[in-house]
Amino acid sequence: TTETYTRAQYCKWPCECPRSPPRCAAGVSLVTDGCDCCKTCARQRGESCTEADTCDFHRGLYCDYSGDRPRYEIGVCAQIVGVGCVLNGVRYKNGETFQPNCKYNCTCINGAVGCVPMCTNSRPPLVWCPNPKLIKMAGKCCEQWICDDSRKIRKTSPRHISSAAYEGEDEAWQKNCIVHTSPWSPCSKTCGLGISTRISNDNDQCRLLKESRLCNMRPCEVDITQHIKPGKKCLAVYRANEPMNYTISGCVSKSPYRPKYCGVCTDNRCCTPYKSKTIEVRFQCPDGTEFSWKIMWINACFCNLNCRNPNDIFADLAHYYDYSEIAN
């Protein structure tokens, strides 16, 4: 004899919903019920569920009716068991994060592998580079941009650009630490002594620390336009005839220096450094005390239309090919 079961009907139409949706406990999703009528608080793991009372799918739950045979009317919210992944012969668990190589960070999600590229900070050289080229650099995982001048160097291209790779973010392995150093920020002042900063964890503790250095793009008291050659509109680099001493709050550098400065233009272009390094300068104060400061040492500048406010945090979003080169 076959026993007949009558399933209860939990959905009723037309829909009759309260004026305001219920308030769910913290972490419980507010979802549309299984009748596609009203907003309700989703059932959680271990709670009973029906065709109307649905489980919290945001938490990967489903209604398991297997314990209510043969009616399959009232179930229990259970966790969906995800499927693992196989990539290059290696098996990974569902939800496991892994790096198949240094260029990608991947996650196994229910049988599918999703990857995020790690080499995202590489950008082509600035507008002066006619032939940017990605090459593999020794000791670096990600390819780096260089300027391929093997064809023909334009008149406005800075010298020695064949070996000048774009100075982007630097990353390397050091013990159990991925060393990460950001580029130096633009100088806080367009003339006179300013500050440039960067973030780096290149230390024994592998901690991200803020580093600072002094910078002087050009002297404020000198009219550089007077040094522009006749028929020209720009002076890329300016250098004083006599050496000078750096001065900070009355303390004077122990050695004299003859630094290079970025020049100026009489048109809409601005001159910015494209090659520089950091030097350590020792200062001596009137009371006899001494201290050291890192200072930006400019090697070469280039005049172009990529002018920006030093405090513009969106400057790095600019497209490098929006600007055309202009001959001096």
Side-chain angles (χ1 to χ4, degrees):
T1 305
T2 303
E3 188 174 354
T4 302
Y5 293 95
T6 303
R7 286 173 53 88
Q9 185 175 346
Y10 292 91
C11 291
K12 297 179 181 180
W13 294 277
C15 300
E16 294 181 2
C17 304
R19 291 185 177 181
S20 57
R23 289 189 175 183
C24 304
V28 177
S29 302
L30 181 67
V31 297
T32 303
D33 62 20
C35 309
D36 203 20
C37 280
C38 309
K39 291 292 184 181
T40 182
C41 296
R43 297 301 177 97
Q44 300 302 301
R45 186 173 182 176
E47 296 180 348
S48 60
C49 50
T50 63
E51 62 178 351
D53 298 322
T54 56
C55 299
D56 197 339
F57 59 88
H58 292 126
R59 292 192 166 189
L61 302 178
Y62 75 103
C63 194
D64 182 9
Y65 293 102
S66 60
D68 192 27
R69 295 187 182 94
R71 292 180 301 175
Y72 300 104
E73 180 180 311
I74 301 176
V76 178
C77 290
Q79 191 77 42
I80 298 175
V81 179
V83 180
C85 310
V86 177
L87 182 65
N88 297 331
V90 181
R91 184 174 296 276
Y92 301 96
K93 298 179 181 178
N94 181 50
E96 184 177 355
T97 300
F98 59 95
Q99 278 190 257
N101 54 54
C102 62
K103 293 184 179 181
Y104 295 97
N105 190 42
C106 303
T107 303
C108 173
I109 305 174
N110 197 24
V113 176
C115 297
V116 177
M118 304 294 287
C119 300
T120 56
N121 294 320
S122 180
R123 294 174 294 181
L126 296 177
V127 293
W128 47 260
C129 179
N131 301 308
K133 184 179 180 181
L134 267 177
I135 66 167
K136 178 69 177 175
M137 305 286 284
K140 291 185 179 291
C141 170
C142 305
E143 287 86 359
Q144 302 289 313
W145 285 101
I146 66 164
C147 198
D148 183 11
D149 62 338
S150 58
R151 300 177 186 176
K152 181 181 178 181
I153 301 177
R154 295 181 64 174
K155 184 180 178 181
T156 53
S157 299
R159 288 170 293 179
H160 313 301
I161 57 177
S162 58
S163 61
Y166 178 80
E167 292 183 3
E169 297 186 353
D170 191 22
E171 202 171 81
W173 281 98
Q174 177 179 296
K175 297 180 181 178
N176 292 326
C177 171
I178 299 179
V179 178
H180 176 88
T181 302
S182 70
W184 287 103
S185 67
C187 192
S188 60
K189 293 186 177 181
T190 55
C191 74
L193 211 57
I195 292 288
S196 179
T197 61
R198 72 177 180 182
I199 302 296
S200 176
N201 65 344
D202 191 3
N203 50 67
D204 294 338
Q205 293 79 30
C206 193
R207 292 176 56 193
L208 282 173
L209 300 175
K210 187 176 183 180
E211 299 178 357
S212 301
R213 69 177 181 180
L214 296 173
C215 50
N216 194 338
M217 295 286 291
R218 57 187 57 84
C220 297
E221 66 279 2
V222 178
D223 184 7
I224 301 179
T225 58
Q226 295 183 357
H227 299 274
I228 299 177
K229 294 181 180 179
K232 301 290 184 179
K233 295 182 179 180
C234 286
L235 178 67
V237 176
Y238 167 77
R239 197 173 197 179
N241 294 326
E242 299 296 330
M244 45 76 73
N245 289 77
Y246 289 104
T247 302
I248 304 177
S249 301
C251 303
V252 181
S253 62
K254 298 185 70 174
S255 301
Y257 295 87
R258 189 168 170 252
K260 291 180 180 179
Y261 301 99
C262 286
V264 294
C265 294
T266 56
D267 53 16
N268 294 326
R269 285 176 291 171
C270 55
C271 300
T272 54
Y274 84 93
K275 190 182 292 186
S276 66
K277 63 181 180 180
T278 303
I279 64 171
E280 193 94 9
V281 176
R282 192 75 179 169
F283 290 85
Q284 187 169 26
C285 301
D287 60 0
T289 58
E290 294 185 4
F291 64 90
S292 295
W293 252 103
K294 292 180 179 179
I295 293 183
M296 173 188 185
W297 186 266
I298 297 174
N299 288 321
C301 301
F302 183 65
C303 301
N304 58 79
L305 288 173
N306 188 20
C307 303
R308 65 190 190 184
N309 187 327
N311 297 316
D312 181 6
I313 62 174
F314 299 106
D316 286 338
L317 299 181
H319 199 304
Y320 283 81
Y321 293 109
D322 285 348
Y323 309 102
S324 59
E325 248 174 274
I326 300 177
N328 280 328

